């Protein structure tokens, strides 16, 4: 049995369009994926029919919205197989989730001279918050390098870990190289020394079904908009044992227990980390996206995505002068490259003229650009609604543009 993307494309009407007179080929899914109508309709319900602020009032709209918001948390808990829904914190996305941990975990556990380990292939969102925290605390940031295939040099981890290491933060899937990192091995190694691990799942969650108990990660962060859900929605999963000990990140309404001018006491998790009015419509939409994903056969979806990636890699490798960045044995969803003699921005603009959407630039990963000594790259990225025919159109377009130059 195989997955038929044409059957589910009716749920994504945005894909059925002409762009610059050509049928749209959307290959910028790692930047943001498209949303099925089921997600948009669920969100519209709460904007058009029953909008009320959550956890505050006793009127019908407020009650219905609160119920849907907490139901959303439970849907996500179940999807992640978290032990309890209090371990699911709604955020605005991966960036906020990581900043929350860097800030609160850092405040509680990181002191002068301590160390934090990240990898050379992180998105800026999993570098800068740690760097800012290290600067505040006088701690040191250490880096696991990657090799010529774009795989982490995991053997360096043993020597990087010291008695001063307080946390390891690593991306599940690289947004540039597509590498699927051996996160289970990293977690196992770290836990032998009682070091917690944060996984940046921005590019992992869209491809893999995550079981946080099996993985045994301490934190897992992801964004709704890359997971067929709305922008401004996201999740931080965290183990209770850490979250309970971490101070709040932002202060304001709902995160408190009691406020006086002399002293404020704080609410319990997850509310302690959800100050102010959260993006509850976004959270409800994200849960709808997850329910949508659960309605598909995940094994078939993953196989289809792998077929797309493999087909695209094989095709692009036949193009003279094209360099692919990242040839790891295990990859997911992402294919970055450059073509000799064509500026990536020109390539992106010309592909757009042919109706093909790709990402160009530094991909929020300066250290990867430095590693390969390039200024920019072109990135194609695939979702389950993409077809083999679209990959063929993409390949033919590259051939045509290359001939033009
Ligand atoms: N981490 C990775 C690996 C990403 O690819 C991205 C976005 O591209 C982020 C973090 C940041 O995600 P967001 O902008 O949704 O917060």
């Amino acid at each position: 049995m195989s997955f038929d993307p044409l059957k589910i494309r009716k749920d994504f009407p945005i894909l059925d369009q002409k762009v610059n007179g050509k049928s749209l080929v959307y290959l910028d899914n790692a930047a943001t994926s498209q949303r099925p109508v089921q997600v948009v309709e669920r969100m519209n319900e709460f904007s058009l029919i029953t909008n009320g602020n959550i956890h505050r009032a006793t009127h019908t709209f407020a009650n219905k919205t609160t119920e849907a918001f907490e139901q959303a948390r439970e849907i996500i808990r179940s999807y992640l197989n978290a032990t309890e829904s209090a371990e699911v914190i709604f955020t605005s996305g991966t960036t906020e989730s990581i900043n929350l941990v860097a800030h609160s975990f850092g405040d509680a556990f990181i002191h002068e001279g301590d160390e934090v380990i990240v990898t050379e292939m992180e998105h800026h969102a999993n570098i800068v918050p740690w760097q800012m925290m290290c600067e505040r605390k006088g701690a040191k940031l250490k880096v696991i390098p990657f090799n010529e295939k774009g795989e982490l040099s995991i053997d360096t981890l043993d020597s990087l870990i010291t008695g001063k290491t307080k946390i390891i933060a690593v991306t599940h899937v690289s947004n540039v190289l597509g590498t699927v990192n051996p996160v289970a091995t990293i977690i196992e190694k770290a836990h032998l020394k009682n070091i917690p691990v944060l996984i940046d799942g921005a590019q992992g969650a869209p491809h893999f079904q995550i079981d946080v108990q099996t993985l045994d990660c301490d934190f897992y962060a992801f964004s709704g908009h890359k997971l067929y859900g709305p922008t401004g929605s996201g999740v931080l999963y965290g183990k209770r044992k850490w979250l309970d000990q971490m101070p709040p990140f932002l202060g304001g309404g709902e995160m408190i227990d009691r406020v006086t001018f002399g002293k404020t006491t704080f609410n319990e998790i997850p509310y302690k980390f959800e100050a102010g009015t959260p993006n509850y419509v976004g959270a409800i939409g994200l849960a709808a996206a997850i329910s949508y994903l659960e309605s598909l056969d995940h094994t078939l979806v993953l196989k289809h995505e792998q077929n797309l990636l493999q087909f695209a890699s094989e095709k692009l490798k036949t193009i003279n002068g094209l360099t692919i960045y990242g040839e790891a044995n295990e990859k997911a969803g992402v294919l970055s490259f450059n073509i000799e003699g064509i500026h990536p921005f020109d390539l992106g603009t010309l592909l757009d003229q042919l109706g093909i959407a790709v990402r160009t630039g530094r991909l929020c990963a300066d250290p990867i650009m430095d590693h390969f000594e390039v200024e920019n790259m072109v990135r194609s990225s695939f979702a389950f609604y993409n077809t083999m025919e679209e990959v063929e159109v993409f390949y033919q377009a590259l051939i045509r543009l290359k001939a033009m130059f």
Side-chain angles (χ1 to χ4, degrees):
M1 221 172 43
S2 64
F3 179 77
D4 182 2
L6 295 180
K7 277 200 183 135
I8 52 98
R9 279 175 78 99
K10 67 176 184 341
D11 295 333
F12 296 85
I14 195 170
L15 297 172
D16 185 22
Q17 287 191 59
K18 299 263 186 231
V19 170
N20 295 320
K22 300 281 192 295
S23 292
L24 168 68
V25 175
Y26 187 77
L27 299 180
D28 195 17
N29 296 287
T32 197
S33 57
Q34 302 302 344
R35 274 158 239 155
V37 284
Q38 290 85 340
V39 168
V40 179
E41 281 171 1
R42 180 76 175 141
M43 290 171 73
N44 280 350
E45 252 179 81
F46 285 89
S47 296
L48 299 175
I49 305 172
T50 45
N51 180 44
N53 204 337
I54 56 164
H55 297 147
R56 283 161 169 81
T58 51
H59 62 79
T60 302
F61 282 8
N63 287 341
K64 280 193 173 172
T65 314
T66 301
E67 203 176 296
F69 181 70
E70 290 306 331
Q71 201 180 41
R73 201 190 303 277
E74 173 53 26
I75 288 170
I76 292 162
R77 181 212 63 76
S78 160
Y79 185 69
L80 297 175
N81 192 30
T83 317
E84 46 175 324
S85 58
E87 293 180 324
V88 174
I89 297 161
F90 285 116
T91 66
S92 63
T94 310
T95 302
E96 190 191 336
S97 298
I98 297 173
N99 273 277
L100 189 165
V101 180
H103 212 277
S104 298
F105 182 92
D107 266 2
F109 296 106
I110 296 177
H111 303 102
E112 193 171 347
D114 283 342
E115 295 169 355
V116 172
I117 299 178
V118 296
T119 85
E120 194 188 1
M121 65 170 80
E122 298 307 316
H123 184 282
H124 295 160
N126 202 26
I127 300 173
V128 184
W130 298 111
Q131 223 165 25
M132 289 163 68
M133 185 275 293
C134 283
E135 222 156 272
R136 271 199 316 273
K137 290 285 187 153
K140 187 174 168 192
L141 195 65
K142 292 167 99 177
V143 182
I144 308 173
F146 64 81
N147 64 21
E148 68 288 349
K149 284 176 82 177
E151 291 173 336
L152 286 180
S153 309
I154 270 311
D155 41 337
T156 61
L157 184 57
D158 291 327
S159 57
L160 285 173
I161 291 179
T162 70
K164 295 273 186 193
T165 309
K166 287 292 150 68
I167 190 164
I168 299 174
V170 54
T171 192
H172 193 169
V173 173
S174 162
N175 66 307
V176 178
L177 310 169
T179 311
V180 182
N181 284 321
V183 286
T185 309
I186 294 172
I187 291 166
E188 215 172 294
K189 276 179 186 280
H191 284 180
L192 285 176
K193 307 263 169 78
N194 294 320
I195 300 164
V197 178
L198 174 139
I199 306 295
D200 171 352
Q203 302 295 341
H207 300 291
F208 302 111
Q209 209 164 352
I210 311 303
D211 182 326
V212 290
Q213 288 192 67
T214 305
L215 196 56
D216 202 23
C217 55
D218 298 274
F219 301 99
Y220 196 96
F222 62 93
S223 300
H225 72 102
K226 296 183 196 287
L227 193 69
Y228 312 100
T231 48
S233 71
V235 164
L236 171 68
Y237 158 79
K239 281 184 183 166
R240 177 184 273 281
K241 73 168 179 182
W242 297 116
L243 295 176
D244 272 345
Q245 297 181 73
M246 287 159 50
F249 175 40
L250 300 174
E254 283 303 304
M255 51 73 74
I256 52 90
D257 168 41
R258 181 80 177 87
V259 179
T260 68
F261 285 111
K263 182 173 171 57
T264 292
T265 51
F266 301 119
N267 207 338
E268 52 195 22
I269 63 165
Y271 311 113
K272 180 171 82 175
F273 293 109
E274 292 177 353
T277 300
N279 178 8
Y280 52 83
V281 177
I284 291 166
L286 172 53
I290 284 177
S291 298
Y292 181 83
L293 285 175
E294 285 185 309
S295 75
L296 307 175
D297 182 327
H298 189 257
T299 312
L300 294 183
V301 164
L302 186 59
K303 180 93 181 66
H304 173 63
E305 288 178 356
Q306 286 292 324
N307 288 344
L308 290 167
L309 180 64
Q310 196 184 337
F311 185 49
S313 306
E314 279 165 13
K315 283 284 189 183
L316 265 58
K317 272 181 197 165
T318 65
I319 299 175
N320 252 344
L322 186 146
T323 306
I324 290 177
Y325 303 103
E327 303 248 34
N329 287 341
E330 258 199 86
K331 282 186 68 167
V334 170
L335 191 56
S336 298
F337 61 93
N338 269 320
I339 299 182
E340 206 179 357
I342 314 182
H343 194 286
F345 291 171
D346 291 339
L347 198 51
T349 308
L350 290 166
L351 283 168
D352 182 57
Q353 290 304 307
L354 300 172
I356 301 168
V358 293
R359 169 87 196 266
T360 51
R362 298 176 66 75
L363 311 181
C364 296
D366 282 357
I368 303 184
M369 300 299 131
D370 292 344
H371 181 108
F372 289 105
E373 297 178 353
V374 297
E375 287 300 318
N376 299 287
M377 290 182 188
V378 182
R379 179 183 70 190
S380 52
S381 53
F382 308 93
F384 57 75
Y385 43 59
N386 289 124
T387 65
M388 294 298 200
E389 290 71 26
E390 286 182 315
V391 174
E392 182 65 34
V393 168
F394 174 46
Y395 164 71
Q396 293 297 342
L398 290 177
I399 297 277
R400 199 171 135 196
L401 295 176
K402 175 140 197 301
M404 252 175 64
F405 279 78

